[in-house]
Short mmCIF file of all heavy atoms in Angstrom, two decimals:
data_model
loop_
_atom_site.label_atom_id
_atom_site.label_comp_id
_atom_site.label_asym_id
_atom_site.label_seq_id
_atom_site.Cartn_x
_atom_site.Cartn_y
_atom_site.Cartn_z
N ARG A 182 -14.26 -1.72 -3.69
CA ARG A 182 -14.65 -2.00 -5.07
C ARG A 182 -16.14 -1.64 -5.27
O ARG A 182 -16.51 -1.03 -6.27
CB ARG A 182 -14.43 -3.49 -5.38
CG ARG A 182 -14.92 -3.94 -6.76
CD ARG A 182 -14.03 -3.39 -7.85
NE ARG A 182 -14.48 -3.73 -9.18
CZ ARG A 182 -13.66 -4.13 -10.14
NH1 ARG A 182 -12.38 -4.29 -9.90
NH2 ARG A 182 -14.11 -4.37 -11.35
N TRP A 183 -16.95 -2.02 -4.32
CA TRP A 183 -18.39 -1.73 -4.35
C TRP A 183 -18.63 -0.23 -4.39
O TRP A 183 -19.48 0.26 -5.15
CB TRP A 183 -19.01 -2.38 -3.12
CG TRP A 183 -20.47 -2.23 -2.88
CD1 TRP A 183 -21.48 -2.94 -3.46
CD2 TRP A 183 -21.08 -1.35 -1.93
NE1 TRP A 183 -22.69 -2.55 -2.93
CE2 TRP A 183 -22.47 -1.58 -1.98
CE3 TRP A 183 -20.60 -0.40 -1.03
CZ2 TRP A 183 -23.39 -0.89 -1.19
CZ3 TRP A 183 -21.49 0.28 -0.23
CH2 TRP A 183 -22.88 0.05 -0.32
N VAL A 184 -17.88 0.53 -3.60
CA VAL A 184 -18.02 2.00 -3.61
C VAL A 184 -17.56 2.56 -4.95
O VAL A 184 -18.23 3.42 -5.55
CB VAL A 184 -17.21 2.63 -2.46
CG1 VAL A 184 -17.34 4.16 -2.51
CG2 VAL A 184 -17.68 2.11 -1.11
N ALA A 185 -16.41 2.07 -5.45
CA ALA A 185 -15.87 2.58 -6.72
C ALA A 185 -16.81 2.29 -7.89
O ALA A 185 -16.81 3.02 -8.89
CB ALA A 185 -14.50 1.95 -6.99
N GLU A 186 -17.62 1.26 -7.75
CA GLU A 186 -18.60 0.93 -8.79
C GLU A 186 -19.86 1.79 -8.69
O GLU A 186 -20.80 1.61 -9.46
CB GLU A 186 -18.96 -0.56 -8.72
CG GLU A 186 -17.82 -1.47 -9.15
CD GLU A 186 -18.15 -2.95 -8.95
OE1 GLU A 186 -19.13 -3.25 -8.22
OE2 GLU A 186 -17.43 -3.79 -9.50
N GLY A 187 -19.89 2.71 -7.73
CA GLY A 187 -21.01 3.64 -7.61
C GLY A 187 -22.22 3.10 -6.87
O GLY A 187 -23.32 3.64 -7.02
N LYS A 188 -22.03 2.09 -6.03
CA LYS A 188 -23.15 1.45 -5.36
C LYS A 188 -23.43 2.00 -3.96
O LYS A 188 -24.41 1.64 -3.33
CB LYS A 188 -22.92 -0.06 -5.29
CG LYS A 188 -22.84 -0.72 -6.66
CD LYS A 188 -22.51 -2.21 -6.56
CE LYS A 188 -22.42 -2.84 -7.93
NZ LYS A 188 -22.05 -4.28 -7.86
N SER A 189 -22.57 2.86 -3.47
CA SER A 189 -22.71 3.40 -2.12
C SER A 189 -23.66 4.59 -2.09
O SER A 189 -23.61 5.46 -2.98
CB SER A 189 -21.35 3.83 -1.59
OG SER A 189 -21.48 4.61 -0.41
N LYS A 190 -24.50 4.66 -1.07
CA LYS A 190 -25.37 5.83 -0.85
C LYS A 190 -24.62 6.97 -0.17
O LYS A 190 -25.07 8.11 -0.19
CB LYS A 190 -26.57 5.45 0.02
CG LYS A 190 -27.54 4.47 -0.60
CD LYS A 190 -28.75 4.23 0.30
CE LYS A 190 -28.36 3.55 1.60
NZ LYS A 190 -29.54 3.17 2.41
N TYR A 191 -23.48 6.62 0.44
CA TYR A 191 -22.81 7.59 1.31
C TYR A 191 -21.52 8.17 0.73
O TYR A 191 -21.21 9.33 0.98
CB TYR A 191 -22.48 6.92 2.65
CG TYR A 191 -23.70 6.56 3.46
CD1 TYR A 191 -24.28 5.30 3.34
CD2 TYR A 191 -24.28 7.47 4.33
CE1 TYR A 191 -25.40 4.96 4.08
CE2 TYR A 191 -25.40 7.14 5.08
CZ TYR A 191 -25.97 5.88 4.94
OH TYR A 191 -27.07 5.55 5.68
N PHE A 192 -20.75 7.38 -0.03
CA PHE A 192 -19.41 7.80 -0.42
C PHE A 192 -19.18 7.67 -1.92
O PHE A 192 -19.81 6.85 -2.60
CB PHE A 192 -18.34 6.96 0.30
CG PHE A 192 -18.33 7.17 1.79
CD1 PHE A 192 -18.96 6.28 2.63
CD2 PHE A 192 -17.69 8.27 2.35
CE1 PHE A 192 -18.96 6.45 4.01
CE2 PHE A 192 -17.68 8.47 3.71
CZ PHE A 192 -18.32 7.56 4.55
N THR A 193 -18.26 8.51 -2.40
CA THR A 193 -17.71 8.34 -3.74
C THR A 193 -16.20 8.17 -3.60
O THR A 193 -15.58 8.75 -2.70
CB THR A 193 -17.99 9.57 -4.64
OG1 THR A 193 -17.42 10.75 -4.01
CG2 THR A 193 -19.47 9.77 -4.84
N VAL A 194 -15.61 7.37 -4.48
CA VAL A 194 -14.16 7.20 -4.48
C VAL A 194 -13.67 7.11 -5.92
O VAL A 194 -14.18 6.32 -6.71
CB VAL A 194 -13.74 5.95 -3.67
CG1 VAL A 194 -14.37 4.67 -4.23
CG2 VAL A 194 -12.22 5.81 -3.65
N SER A 195 -12.74 7.98 -6.27
CA SER A 195 -12.13 7.91 -7.59
C SER A 195 -11.09 6.80 -7.59
O SER A 195 -10.54 6.43 -6.55
CB SER A 195 -11.47 9.24 -7.95
OG SER A 195 -10.27 9.44 -7.21
N THR A 196 -10.82 6.28 -8.77
CA THR A 196 -9.82 5.21 -8.87
C THR A 196 -8.40 5.77 -9.00
O THR A 196 -7.46 5.00 -9.13
CB THR A 196 -10.13 4.29 -10.05
OG1 THR A 196 -10.25 5.07 -11.24
CG2 THR A 196 -11.42 3.52 -9.81
N SER A 197 -8.27 7.08 -8.94
CA SER A 197 -6.93 7.68 -8.93
C SER A 197 -6.61 8.15 -7.52
O SER A 197 -6.17 7.36 -6.68
CB SER A 197 -6.84 8.83 -9.94
OG SER A 197 -7.88 9.79 -9.71
N ASP A 198 -6.89 9.40 -7.21
CA ASP A 198 -6.53 9.94 -5.89
C ASP A 198 -7.32 9.27 -4.76
O ASP A 198 -6.82 9.14 -3.64
CB ASP A 198 -6.78 11.45 -5.86
CG ASP A 198 -5.80 12.22 -6.72
OD1 ASP A 198 -4.76 11.63 -7.10
OD2 ASP A 198 -6.07 13.39 -7.04
N GLY A 199 -8.56 8.85 -5.03
CA GLY A 199 -9.37 8.23 -4.00
C GLY A 199 -8.77 6.93 -3.50
O GLY A 199 -8.56 6.74 -2.30
N LEU A 200 -8.49 6.01 -4.41
CA LEU A 200 -7.86 4.75 -4.01
C LEU A 200 -6.46 4.99 -3.47
O LEU A 200 -6.00 4.26 -2.58
CB LEU A 200 -7.80 3.79 -5.20
CG LEU A 200 -9.12 3.10 -5.57
CD1 LEU A 200 -8.90 2.13 -6.72
CD2 LEU A 200 -9.72 2.37 -4.38
N ASN A 201 -5.78 6.00 -3.99
CA ASN A 201 -4.45 6.32 -3.47
C ASN A 201 -4.54 6.70 -1.99
O ASN A 201 -3.68 6.34 -1.18
CB ASN A 201 -3.84 7.46 -4.27
CG ASN A 201 -2.33 7.50 -4.17
OD1 ASN A 201 -1.65 6.65 -4.73
ND2 ASN A 201 -1.81 8.48 -3.45
N SER A 202 -5.60 7.43 -1.61
CA SER A 202 -5.80 7.81 -0.22
C SER A 202 -6.03 6.58 0.64
O SER A 202 -5.50 6.47 1.76
CB SER A 202 -7.00 8.76 -0.10
OG SER A 202 -7.29 9.05 1.24
N ALA A 203 -6.81 5.63 0.13
CA ALA A 203 -7.07 4.40 0.89
C ALA A 203 -5.79 3.62 1.09
O ALA A 203 -5.48 3.16 2.21
CB ALA A 203 -8.10 3.55 0.15
N LEU A 204 -5.01 3.44 0.04
CA LEU A 204 -3.75 2.70 0.15
C LEU A 204 -2.76 3.42 1.06
O LEU A 204 -2.05 2.79 1.85
CB LEU A 204 -3.13 2.49 -1.23
CG LEU A 204 -3.90 1.56 -2.18
CD1 LEU A 204 -3.26 1.57 -3.56
CD2 LEU A 204 -3.95 0.14 -1.64
N SER A 205 -2.72 4.74 0.96
CA SER A 205 -1.81 5.52 1.80
C SER A 205 -2.20 5.40 3.27
O SER A 205 -1.33 5.40 4.15
CB SER A 205 -1.82 6.99 1.38
OG SER A 205 -1.33 7.15 0.06
N SER A 206 -3.49 5.29 3.54
CA SER A 206 -3.95 5.14 4.92
C SER A 206 -3.49 3.81 5.50
O SER A 206 -3.05 3.73 6.66
CB SER A 206 -5.48 5.23 4.98
OG SER A 206 -5.93 6.47 4.47
N LEU A 207 -3.58 2.74 4.71
CA LEU A 207 -3.08 1.45 5.17
C LEU A 207 -1.57 1.49 5.36
O LEU A 207 -1.04 0.93 6.32
CB LEU A 207 -3.44 0.36 4.16
CG LEU A 207 -4.86 -0.19 4.20
CD1 LEU A 207 -5.04 -1.24 3.11
CD2 LEU A 207 -5.19 -0.77 5.56
N PHE A 208 -0.89 2.17 4.44
CA PHE A 208 0.56 2.29 4.54
C PHE A 208 0.94 3.02 5.83
O PHE A 208 1.90 2.66 6.51
CB PHE A 208 1.10 3.03 3.33
CG PHE A 208 2.59 3.24 3.35
CD1 PHE A 208 3.45 2.24 2.96
CD2 PHE A 208 3.13 4.45 3.78
CE1 PHE A 208 4.82 2.42 2.99
CE2 PHE A 208 4.50 4.64 3.82
CZ PHE A 208 5.35 3.62 3.41
N LEU A 209 0.17 4.04 6.18
CA LEU A 209 0.47 4.84 7.36
C LEU A 209 0.43 4.00 8.63
O LEU A 209 1.21 4.23 9.56
CB LEU A 209 -0.52 6.00 7.47
CG LEU A 209 -0.28 7.02 8.58
CD1 LEU A 209 0.99 7.82 8.31
CD2 LEU A 209 -1.47 7.96 8.72
N VAL A 210 -0.47 3.02 8.70
CA VAL A 210 -0.62 2.23 9.92
C VAL A 210 0.07 0.86 9.79
O VAL A 210 -0.30 -0.10 10.45
CB VAL A 210 -2.12 2.05 10.29
CG1 VAL A 210 -2.70 3.37 10.71
CG2 VAL A 210 -2.92 1.46 9.12
N ARG A 211 1.09 0.81 8.96
CA ARG A 211 1.88 -0.42 8.83
C ARG A 211 2.70 -0.68 10.09
O ARG A 211 2.88 0.22 10.91
CB ARG A 211 2.84 -0.30 7.64
CG ARG A 211 3.97 0.71 7.87
CD ARG A 211 4.65 1.11 6.57
NE ARG A 211 5.80 2.00 6.79
CZ ARG A 211 5.71 3.30 6.96
NH1 ARG A 211 4.52 3.89 7.00
NH2 ARG A 211 6.80 4.04 7.12
N ASP A 212 3.19 -1.90 10.22
CA ASP A 212 4.08 -2.23 11.33
C ASP A 212 5.44 -1.58 11.13
O ASP A 212 5.85 -1.27 10.00
CB ASP A 212 4.27 -3.74 11.44
CG ASP A 212 3.03 -4.46 11.94
OD1 ASP A 212 2.20 -3.81 12.59
OD2 ASP A 212 2.90 -5.67 11.66
N SER A 213 6.16 -1.40 12.23
CA SER A 213 7.52 -0.87 12.16
C SER A 213 8.43 -1.88 11.47
O SER A 213 8.25 -3.10 11.61
CB SER A 213 8.06 -0.57 13.56
OG SER A 213 7.26 0.40 14.19
N ALA A 214 9.42 -1.38 10.73
CA ALA A 214 10.40 -2.27 10.08
C ALA A 214 11.07 -3.14 11.13
O ALA A 214 11.43 -2.68 12.21
CB ALA A 214 11.44 -1.44 9.34
N GLY A 215 11.21 -4.42 10.80
CA GLY A 215 11.84 -5.36 11.72
C GLY A 215 10.86 -6.19 12.52
O GLY A 215 11.26 -7.12 13.24
N THR A 216 9.56 -5.87 12.42
CA THR A 216 8.54 -6.68 13.10
C THR A 216 8.44 -8.04 12.41
O THR A 216 8.49 -8.13 11.18
CB THR A 216 7.17 -5.99 13.05
OG1 THR A 216 7.26 -4.71 13.68
CG2 THR A 216 6.10 -6.82 13.75
N ALA A 217 8.29 -9.09 13.18
CA ALA A 217 8.14 -10.43 12.62
C ALA A 217 6.68 -10.71 12.30
O ALA A 217 5.78 -10.29 13.04
CB ALA A 217 8.67 -11.49 13.59
N ALA A 218 6.44 -11.41 11.20
CA ALA A 218 5.06 -11.77 10.84
C ALA A 218 4.42 -12.67 11.88
O ALA A 218 3.19 -12.76 11.96
CB ALA A 218 5.03 -12.44 9.47
N THR A 219 5.25 -13.34 12.68
CA THR A 219 4.73 -14.22 13.73
C THR A 219 4.43 -13.49 15.03
O THR A 219 3.94 -14.09 15.98
CB THR A 219 5.75 -15.34 14.01
OG1 THR A 219 7.03 -14.76 14.31
CG2 THR A 219 5.89 -16.26 12.80
N ASP A 220 4.73 -12.19 15.09
CA ASP A 220 4.44 -11.41 16.29
C ASP A 220 2.93 -11.43 16.56
O ASP A 220 2.12 -11.33 15.64
CB ASP A 220 4.92 -9.97 16.08
CG ASP A 220 4.89 -9.14 17.35
OD1 ASP A 220 3.79 -8.88 17.84
OD2 ASP A 220 5.97 -8.77 17.83
N ARG A 221 2.56 -11.53 17.82
CA ARG A 221 1.14 -11.64 18.17
C ARG A 221 0.35 -10.39 17.81
O ARG A 221 -0.88 -10.43 17.71
CB ARG A 221 0.99 -11.94 19.66
CG ARG A 221 1.48 -13.33 20.05
CD ARG A 221 1.19 -13.62 21.50
NE ARG A 221 -0.25 -13.63 21.78
CZ ARG A 221 -0.76 -13.81 22.99
NH1 ARG A 221 0.04 -13.97 24.04
NH2 ARG A 221 -2.06 -13.82 23.18
N SER A 222 1.04 -9.26 17.62
CA SER A 222 0.34 -8.02 17.26
C SER A 222 0.61 -7.60 15.81
O SER A 222 0.26 -6.49 15.42
CB SER A 222 0.77 -6.89 18.21
OG SER A 222 2.15 -6.62 18.07
N ALA A 223 1.20 -8.48 15.02
CA ALA A 223 1.58 -8.11 13.65
C ALA A 223 0.36 -7.80 12.79
O ALA A 223 -0.60 -8.58 12.76
CB ALA A 223 2.40 -9.23 13.02
N HIS A 224 0.40 -6.66 12.11
CA HIS A 224 -0.64 -6.29 11.15
C HIS A 224 -0.12 -6.30 9.71
O HIS A 224 -0.93 -6.31 8.79
CB HIS A 224 -1.19 -4.89 11.47
CG HIS A 224 -2.18 -4.88 12.58
ND1 HIS A 224 -1.91 -5.37 13.84
CD2 HIS A 224 -3.46 -4.41 12.63
CE1 HIS A 224 -2.98 -5.22 14.62
NE2 HIS A 224 -3.93 -4.63 13.90
N GLY A 225 1.19 -6.27 9.54
CA GLY A 225 1.75 -6.35 8.20
C GLY A 225 2.54 -5.12 7.79
O GLY A 225 2.34 -4.03 8.31
N THR A 226 3.46 -5.31 6.87
CA THR A 226 4.17 -4.20 6.26
C THR A 226 3.22 -3.43 5.35
O THR A 226 2.12 -3.91 5.02
CB THR A 226 5.35 -4.71 5.42
OG1 THR A 226 4.83 -5.50 4.32
CG2 THR A 226 6.31 -5.57 6.24
N GLY A 227 3.65 -2.26 4.89
CA GLY A 227 2.86 -1.55 3.91
C GLY A 227 2.68 -2.36 2.63
O GLY A 227 1.60 -2.37 2.03
N PHE A 228 3.74 -3.07 2.23
CA PHE A 228 3.70 -3.94 1.05
C PHE A 228 2.61 -5.00 1.24
O PHE A 228 1.79 -5.24 0.35
CB PHE A 228 5.08 -4.58 0.86
CG PHE A 228 5.23 -5.43 -0.36
CD1 PHE A 228 5.83 -4.93 -1.51
CD2 PHE A 228 4.81 -6.75 -0.37
CE1 PHE A 228 6.00 -5.74 -2.64
CE2 PHE A 228 4.97 -7.56 -1.48
CZ PHE A 228 5.56 -7.05 -2.62
N ASP A 229 2.62 -5.67 2.40
CA ASP A 229 1.67 -6.76 2.65
C ASP A 229 0.24 -6.26 2.78
O ASP A 229 -0.70 -6.88 2.27
CB ASP A 229 2.06 -7.50 3.93
CG ASP A 229 3.43 -8.15 3.84
OD1 ASP A 229 3.86 -8.47 2.73
OD2 ASP A 229 4.07 -8.33 4.90
N ARG A 230 0.06 -5.13 3.45
CA ARG A 230 -1.29 -4.63 3.69
C ARG A 230 -1.94 -4.12 2.40
O ARG A 230 -3.11 -4.37 2.14
CB ARG A 230 -1.27 -3.53 4.76
CG ARG A 230 -0.75 -4.00 6.11
CD ARG A 230 -1.14 -3.07 7.24
NE ARG A 230 -2.58 -3.15 7.48
CZ ARG A 230 -3.19 -2.59 8.51
NH1 ARG A 230 -2.48 -1.89 9.40
NH2 ARG A 230 -4.49 -2.70 8.68
N THR A 231 -1.17 -3.39 1.59
CA THR A 231 -1.74 -2.91 0.33
C THR A 231 -2.03 -4.08 -0.62
O THR A 231 -3.00 -4.03 -1.37
CB THR A 231 -0.81 -1.90 -0.35
OG1 THR A 231 0.50 -2.47 -0.52
CG2 THR A 231 -0.69 -0.62 0.46
N TYR A 232 -1.21 -5.12 -0.56
CA TYR A 232 -1.45 -6.30 -1.40
C TYR A 232 -2.79 -6.94 -1.03
O TYR A 232 -3.62 -7.25 -1.89
CB TYR A 232 -0.31 -7.30 -1.23
CG TYR A 232 -0.31 -8.44 -2.23
CD1 TYR A 232 -1.21 -8.49 -3.30
CD2 TYR A 232 0.60 -9.48 -2.11
CE1 TYR A 232 -1.18 -9.52 -4.22
CE2 TYR A 232 0.63 -10.53 -3.02
CZ TYR A 232 -0.27 -10.55 -4.07
OH TYR A 232 -0.25 -11.58 -4.97
N ALA A 233 -3.02 -7.15 0.26
CA ALA A 233 -4.28 -7.77 0.70
C ALA A 233 -5.47 -6.92 0.27
O ALA A 233 -6.49 -7.45 -0.21
CB ALA A 233 -4.27 -7.96 2.20
N PHE A 234 -5.38 -5.61 0.45
CA PHE A 234 -6.45 -4.70 0.03
C PHE A 234 -6.72 -4.87 -1.47
O PHE A 234 -7.88 -4.94 -1.90
CB PHE A 234 -6.05 -3.27 0.34
CG PHE A 234 -7.04 -2.22 -0.07
CD1 PHE A 234 -7.97 -1.72 0.84
CD2 PHE A 234 -7.06 -1.71 -1.36
CE1 PHE A 234 -8.89 -0.75 0.46
CE2 PHE A 234 -7.97 -0.74 -1.75
CZ PHE A 234 -8.89 -0.26 -0.83
N GLN A 235 -5.67 -4.94 -2.26
CA GLN A 235 -5.84 -5.03 -3.71
C GLN A 235 -6.44 -6.37 -4.13
O GLN A 235 -7.20 -6.44 -5.09
CB GLN A 235 -4.51 -4.77 -4.41
CG GLN A 235 -4.07 -3.31 -4.28
CD GLN A 235 -2.78 -3.01 -5.03
OE1 GLN A 235 -1.80 -3.73 -4.92
NE2 GLN A 235 -2.78 -1.93 -5.79
N ILE A 236 -6.10 -7.43 -3.41
CA ILE A 236 -6.73 -8.73 -3.70
C ILE A 236 -8.24 -8.63 -3.49
O ILE A 236 -9.03 -9.10 -4.31
CB ILE A 236 -6.12 -9.83 -2.81
CG1 ILE A 236 -4.69 -10.14 -3.23
CG2 ILE A 236 -6.97 -11.11 -2.87
CD1 ILE A 236 -3.96 -11.09 -2.30
#
Side-chain angles (χ1 to χ4, degrees):
R182 175 71 183 223
W183 179 81
V184 178
E186 290 175 345
K188 298 176 180 178
S189 168
K190 294 184 295 186
Y191 294 92
F192 295 99
T193 58
V194 59
S195 73
T196 54
S197 54
D198 290 344
L200 284 183
N201 202 72
S202 175
L204 292 174
S205 296
S206 301
L207 281 179
F208 179 82
L209 185 68
V210 292
R211 70 196 184 278
D212 289 337
S213 299
T216 301
T219 54
D220 190 293
R221 292 185 63 183
S222 63
H224 280 56
T226 64
F228 184 99
D229 298 334
R230 299 198 69 171
T231 55
Y232 191 6
F234 179 96
Q235 291 183 312
I236 290 173

